[in-house]
Amino acid sequence: MAAAWGRVRALLPGRADLAAVRRAPRRDLLAGLTVAIVALPLALAFGVTSGLGAEAGLITAVVAGAVAAVFGGSNLQVSGPTGAMTVVLVPIVAQFGANGVLLVGAMAGVILLVLAFARFGRFVRYLPVPVIEGFTAGIAVVIALQQVPAALGVTDAQGERVWAVAADAVARFVVHPHPAAIAVALGVAAVMLVGARWRPGVPFSLLAVVAATVIAELVPVDLIRIGALPQSLPAPSLDFLDLGAVGALLPAAFAVAALAALESLLSATVADGMTVDQRHDPDRELFGQGLANLASPLFGGIPATAAIARTAVNVRAGAVSKLAALTHAVALAGIVLAAAPLVGRIPLAALAGVLLATTVRMVEAASLWALARATRGDALVLVLTFAVTVIWDLVTAVAVGVAVAIVVALRAVARSAKMEQVPLDADDHTAEEQALLAEHIVAYRLDGPLFFAAAHNFLLQLSDVADVRVVILRMARVTTIDATGAQVLGDAIRRLQGRGITVLLSGIDPGHDQVLDTLGVADQLRRDGLIFPDTPAAIARARALALPAPA
């Protein structure tokens, strides 16, 4: 009980967090307001894209953003709705409806809390870079495809996959074109992209959306608007809770939790890299995201995660503590209370333009090109992860990417394992004895890991040994042995013994004894005194076995 309470206390905010808040509160407040300006159009756009509406995006940014800011493991992280999450949510909305998404978010929150208590956060560092870059580029393409209907002014596009919906929207646009919508979307995107190069510190996304809204009000054009928004946060409710649907929604909840954990920890790592003295606690970050995803559905918000783009803005704006992210959430809540009618007049095409520009900035072309040229294995993982993300879904893409990366890595490691014949020590041998040794004794040195991917090659090499009486296997440089490697080693030894060849082992690492003993590989050799601590002792024994007895 004491250990569990100690673990809980380690995940809760402490004195260090309060000390950081007191360090530079003015800088944090200004940074938070800056992030709120950038986050407003993104929150609206991601809410619309998710299928639950702009209101859900704002609620998520406010509620999840505040909870994650207080309980998260990074001083600089900003959380809310993200494009990657909407990619996962769209099929959930289509299959289970709005209540299904809310329940999935709450279930994902519980899963994230479990991961935090299990100290899962440290494992994200092992995710291969080609997988990260591949699904990031894939997410960018999927988000762009999601914006095609709104950018074209099409409301009734259909399809099972996002690319199919985009294709249907294009076909409908050709039949009934809406030039105003596409002009607004491309105009907003162009302003954001050009403006970011010209004056990076100016919130061109908000300015472009405001300009598009004003033009839409003044010019008689047919544009679909966000619609009415509530002027307050809804009361918390558990109406979405349906215990009977938990089983059916569990796979989706694991997918959402996996994405939330992955994106949040990657974002926190990026934030650390942008600073000198900031380091996040990965388990506390998972804990904060878990609480955020438990709180957001209570108010009608969608699942949330840390947002790399908004976190980067927060860092560049000079934030030093959690106060900045909390200020961002409070500022967005103020907008909901004061300006909901104005926000409801924003054209959906303008929000589509914001996300189109965002997807362009998500893709680091130089990084992708460098990975594609690094090795064929990296290029394969990158392309596969990207393709599966676009064609199927993100979670499948990560699973496929990691699986292929593991196979590529195992292939490379297996190639590093080798067995080569080494010369015996000729000191203290007469010419006659040396000739006998050369003729009847052979020594092999095993280098690297002896595991399932390398075991077959090892067996083939050792089975080719001929015209000898004694084989010495020098094991000192074997880095690891798994069950398959040990089994193959035992099989090779039995084959040699069946041909009348004595096998000696030398230099076995004590850590490998358990595997060899468990599988019965070394039992007989140890009983017969054929295992030696070093090679000289094995050679001395081999001489006694190979040399003919004196007349």
Side-chain angles (χ1 to χ4, degrees):
M1 188 66 180
W5 174 239
R7 183 62 185 147
V8 172
R9 291 185 59 185
L11 295 172
L12 294 174
R15 293 182 179 179
D17 299 299
L18 294 176
V21 168
R22 296 192 187 102
R23 196 183 313 165
R26 181 178 298 179
R27 288 175 58 186
D28 285 328
L29 291 172
L30 291 175
L33 292 173
T34 302
V35 177
I37 292 172
V38 174
L40 175 60
L42 291 174
L44 295 170
F46 289 136
V48 172
T49 302
S50 72
L52 268 68
E55 174 188 353
L58 275 176
I59 291 171
T60 306
V62 172
V63 177
V67 175
V70 173
F71 293 97
S74 170
N75 285 331
L76 307 175
Q77 193 94 281
V78 179
S79 298
T82 65
M85 188 61 75
T86 63
V87 172
V88 178
L89 296 181
V90 169
I92 300 175
V93 174
Q95 185 174 359
F96 299 102
N99 282 344
V101 171
L102 301 182
L103 182 55
V104 163
M107 293 167 62
V110 174
I111 294 170
L112 288 168
L113 293 179
V114 173
L115 294 179
F117 279 99
R119 294 181 170 89
F120 181 83
R122 63 186 182 275
F123 293 113
V124 76
R125 70 188 68 173
Y126 301 115
L127 194 67
V129 172
V131 174
I132 297 171
E133 294 289 347
F135 84 68
T136 300
I139 287 170
V141 172
V142 171
I143 295 172
L145 291 173
Q146 287 175 339
Q147 308 317 307
V148 170
L152 298 179
V154 177
T155 59
D156 53 353
Q158 299 178 352
E160 294 185 1
R161 299 288 180 183
V162 63
W163 48 266
V165 175
D168 186 53
V170 172
R172 293 172 185 269
F173 176 80
V174 171
V175 178
H176 300 289
H178 302 276
I182 193 170
V184 168
L186 294 180
V188 169
V191 169
M192 287 180 60
L193 295 174
V194 175
R197 289 181 172 273
W198 179 49
R199 289 286 190 273
V202 177
F204 282 101
S205 60
L206 183 62
L207 295 178
V209 169
V210 170
T213 305
V214 171
I215 294 173
E217 291 294 318
L218 297 178
V219 180
V221 292
D222 184 18
L223 290 173
I224 304 169
R225 312 300 179 97
I226 288 178
L229 293 175
Q231 293 184 266
S232 63
L233 290 176
S237 170
L238 288 173
D239 290 343
F240 63 87
L241 194 59
D242 180 6
L243 297 181
V246 169
L249 291 172
L250 195 58
F254 274 107
V256 169
L259 178 58
L262 181 63
E263 191 169 11
S264 297
L265 294 176
L266 289 177
S267 176
T269 302
V270 170
D272 289 349
M274 296 176 66
T275 62
V276 176
D277 58 347
Q278 295 283 354
R279 290 294 177 269
H280 73 283
D281 183 326
D283 294 325
R284 280 190 61 190
E285 185 59 32
L286 292 180
F287 181 74
Q289 295 297 331
L291 292 179
N293 280 284
L294 278 175
S296 182
L298 297 177
F299 297 88
I302 61 177
T305 179
I308 295 177
R310 276 158 275 177
T311 298
V313 171
N314 196 37
V315 175
R316 288 196 293 264
V320 296
S321 78
K322 298 172 179 292
L323 180 60
L326 183 60
T327 300
H328 136 271
V330 173
L332 288 177
I335 293 173
V336 172
L337 295 174
L342 297 177
V343 173
R345 298 299 299 168
I346 295 175
L348 291 182
L351 298 182
V354 170
L355 293 187
L356 287 173
T358 301
T359 60
V360 172
R361 293 190 295 196
M362 284 176 63
V363 179
E364 296 287 344
S367 177
L368 292 175
W369 181 240
L371 281 174
R373 293 185 302 168
T375 66
R376 284 183 293 181
D378 288 333
L380 176 63
V381 173
L382 177 71
V383 172
L384 275 178
T385 306
F386 170 81
V388 176
T389 299
V390 176
I391 298 173
W392 280 281
D393 61 76
L394 178 64
V395 177
T396 303
V398 173
V400 170
V402 170
V404 175
I406 290 173
V407 172
V408 171
L410 289 176
R411 183 170 178 264
V413 173
R415 284 185 170 184
S416 70
K418 59 183 180 179
M419 184 180 72
E420 59 181 354
Q421 186 174 349
V422 293
L424 295 167
D425 187 0
D427 296 343
D428 300 325
H429 295 307
T430 65
E432 181 181 1
E433 289 174 335
Q434 182 61 31
L436 287 170
L437 289 173
E439 181 180 353
H440 299 299
I441 300 175
V442 63
Y444 288 96
R445 184 178 64 218
L446 280 65
D447 289 332
L450 184 59
F451 71 131
F452 68 93
H456 179 68
N457 185 49
F458 165 79
L459 177 61
L460 291 178
Q461 292 184 59
L462 200 54
S463 297
D464 291 337
V465 175
D467 299 327
V468 296
R469 296 178 187 170
V470 182
V471 170
I472 301 173
L473 298 180
R474 300 173 59 178
M475 308 279 290
R477 296 191 183 184
V478 174
T479 55
T480 184
I481 301 179
D482 70 352
T484 304
Q487 196 69 51
V488 169
L489 176 64
D491 188 26
I493 291 172
R494 285 188 289 272
R495 290 191 185 192
L496 292 174
Q497 290 174 335
R499 291 159 49 194
I501 299 173
T502 302
V503 180
L504 311 181
L505 302 182
S506 70
I508 298 178
D509 188 291
H512 301 157
D513 282 339
Q514 181 178 357
V515 177
L516 297 175
D517 290 344
T518 301
L519 296 175
V521 174
D523 289 348
Q524 180 184 348
L525 297 179
R526 189 170 281 112
R527 286 195 301 269
D528 295 340
L530 301 178
I531 296 181
F532 303 89
D534 53 47
T535 302
I539 292 177
R541 176 62 172 159
R543 286 180 58 200
L545 292 171
L547 293 177

